[in-house]
Amino acid sequence: MRKCSVILFVLLLSVMSGNAQNLMRHFYNSTSVIRYEPAINQYILSGNIAPPLLSGMDNSGPGGPLSRIQLQLLDDQLNTLWLKTYATQTEVSHAMSVQGSCRKLTNAFYTAGAIRTADGGYLICGTSVQSSEISGCTGIPYYSQPFLLKTNSTGAVIWYKRYDVEGGFSAMVEDRATGRLIACGSMNGFYSDGLIVCTDAGGNVLWSRGDKVTDPYPGANLSTSYARIIPFTTASGQFCYALAGNADQKGMGIDGGILITLVDANGAFYHDAMLHQGAFHMFPNCFDVADAGGGKLVLTGSSIDASGGFPCGSDLNSALIMVKLDPMTFVVDFFKQYNKIAGTYSYGQGLNVWRRGPLTRYCISGSNSGTAIYLETDDNGNLLRYTPHNPSDASKGGLMTINTLGNYPVYSGSYPGGTYVVRNNYGFDCAGDVMVSVANLPSVNAPSDHYIISVPAIEEVMLSYSFPYSESNACGVLKPAPTDIAMLPGEQAVSLFPNPAQSALHIQTGNDYMPAEAAVYDLTGREVLRQAVSGTSFSLPVASLLPGVYGIRITDRNGKVQLARFVKE
């Protein structure tokens, strides 16, 4: 009888796991992306904040507060250690000296991301914009240019440079062998070309390239941009960097594809091409890329169906995609589309490879018409999980990172009040998983051309400012962090804390157990602890348990059962 009940417990636990909760944190008034740094077991949260005042200076414009750089460091529990923002000396002097309504800061910064460099400091990239339209001040010079900002380990400025081309950076890497910095993005305004700039450790340009794609359909011109750059090793063992982005008819919603470029730190190109679906009005976009191993890349974004109208019919009909391919040969392992529904707009924004022992999982953070989603597949793209969040908790997907010490995904995005971050170490979220459709898509490729350009650097003095922050746990109610909650339909919640636990696990229930019995099982269904309990709160000694995930079964005198899950550190 006990064997049957244990099997039933494991089955129930697997069914209800969609209702159990990962740690989700809200960071107010910011738009940020997350990156894990294993050397310090901490996270970089980088993006934008928009305070009305910065150190007493007016930071407002006609459209509201100007966007400022956000560099925020979090511990492994997602608690803020410090937050810095920045302003150029030029705009600070303007704000301190000009009289009247233009006595204010004048720059807007749109941060794309940040990385930790080999010297223990940080490198931030993005776009710096100064204009009368944004600031509301006439007579100031206009520019919209990519920037790099280098800081030390505490966020203090080492150097700041913007680059004299109209455009912006979307991502960057540090080549650890040479100390060179490689950044990518777009240039030449709305109808753009792809941009790659390589600098030395001080931000001085060593080489730069533009990239343009000829549309496979005659008479059309494609705008080209890069979204991501990552270290990559080809199937033949050649180390280089893989850049992924898009080539499309900007604003027209007619045609385009995914741009993939392989280049090394010396500017040598190994491959440069575009992947598209081979059908007019049907084309993919790419927002993130990861090294799948074995000389393969895996990419995510959206497949846009513009067949319903021109122009911009694509905005109402797209589906999240994932592609796995060899970027040297463009042989495609799979090209899958998930949850295509007419009249909706969904896409994958962040992607990473999660290796769980012998298993490989591809994890995607994305969006579906105003709701953030988490998607997980096996290494063949077969769907394992599709979780839509509550839009008030998480409305738009962001970047995905892997905590390599704890071996679990962490992802960020936006919600109506700012930024959310989910630490996915329990394997299930606030909302439950749902079943969605999966379809295979066709693919063809077209050549892309790169060319040499000159991009001068402009050095400016940048000042740093410590900034107050506000954060809380999410999922609709404030809870002590971290908490794991599991519920059966119609039952009261079981709250566990601390979770993960080390010595004692405290339990609060919705029932007054007089008396009851609590049993703990490992993931094989083996009972490892049993104890008599009573009341609405009690504790279990778990110090002797091995690290891992465990289930709890609480049974009262009437046979009523409540189940929960916790992590033992």
Side-chain angles (χ1 to χ4, degrees), residues 60 90 112 173 184 257 295 321 331 379 392 534:
S60 64
T90 302
V173 294
C184 65
I321 60 167
V331 172
D379 59 353
S392 64
S534 62

Side-chain angles (χ1 to χ4, degrees), residues 103 119 150 180 223 227 232 286 299-300 304 312 325 327 344 347 361 380 403 425 446 466 472 514-515 519:
R103 188 180 175 89
D119 62 3
K150 181 69 177 73
R180 293 181 172 187
S223 294
F232 178 68
C286 175
L299 309 99
T300 191
I304 299 177
C312 300
L325 53 72
T344 65
Y347 57 90
R361 299 287 184 258
N380 294 310
N403 183 311
N425 55 330
S466 296
S472 72
M514 297 182 64

Side-chain angles (χ1 to χ4, degrees), residues 37-205:
E37 293 294 341
I40 53 176
N41 191 27
Q42 293 170 351
Y43 298 94
I44 305 172
L45 195 61
S46 60
N48 302 295
I49 56 175
L53 296 173
L54 177 58
S55 190
M57 295 176 288
D58 187 353
N59 187 51
S60 64
L66 303 184
S67 177
R68 314 303 306 184
I69 297 168
Q70 170 200 8
L71 179 62
Q72 192 166 354
L73 201 65
L74 311 179
D75 66 18
D76 65 340
Q77 301 294 313
L78 305 183
N79 300 303
T80 297
L81 300 174
W82 51 260
L83 168 59
K84 293 289 179 69
T85 190
Y86 302 88
T88 67
Q89 179 67 70
T90 302
E91 61 175 331
V92 169
S93 298
H94 184 276
M96 301 298 289
S97 61
V98 174
Q99 301 300 315
S101 60
C102 277
R103 188 180 175 89
K104 60 173 67 176
L105 299 173
T106 57
N107 281 45
F109 297 90
Y110 302 98
T111 309
I115 61 174
R116 187 172 183 267
T117 49
D119 62 3
Y122 301 95
L123 182 70
I124 308 166
C125 75
T127 306
S128 174
V129 180
Q130 180 176 272
S131 71
S132 299
E133 182 180 3
I134 287 177
S135 66
C137 295
T138 60
I140 61 173
Y142 166 81
Y143 59 80
S144 178
Q145 297 175 333
F147 76 82
L148 293 176
L149 170 61
K150 181 69 177 73
T151 80
N152 66 11
S153 60
T154 63
V157 176
I158 296 177
W159 54 261
Y160 166 75
K161 291 182 179 177
R162 52 186 172 90
Y163 297 86
D164 195 10
V165 61
E166 185 175 11
F169 288 144
S170 58
M172 73 271 153
V173 294
E174 180 189 33
D175 184 69
R176 291 299 175 95
T178 64
R180 293 181 172 187
L181 312 173
I182 309 173
C184 65
S186 63
M187 63 178 180
N188 298 336
F190 189 73
Y191 294 100
S192 61
D193 288 356
L195 173 65
I196 311 172
V197 175
C198 178
T199 79
D200 62 18
N204 304 300
V205 177

Side-chain angles (χ1 to χ4, degrees), residues 366-385:
S367 304
N368 186 358
S369 296
T371 298
I373 56 176
Y374 171 78
L375 184 147
E376 189 177 313
T377 79
D378 65 15
D379 59 353
N380 294 310
N382 299 308
L383 188 64
L384 301 175
R385 293 189 55 207

Side-chain angles (χ1 to χ4, degrees), residues 12 16 19 485-495 508-513 554-556 559-564:
L12 283 172
M16 76 174 188
N19 291 322
I485 296 177
M487 287 184 290
L488 290 174
E491 294 291 331
Q492 297 283 339
V494 177
S495 298
Q508 291 182 337
T509 74
N511 297 321
D512 188 357
Y513 291 101
I554 305 170
T555 309
D556 69 10
K560 189 175 183 179
V561 174
Q562 286 189 292
L563 306 175

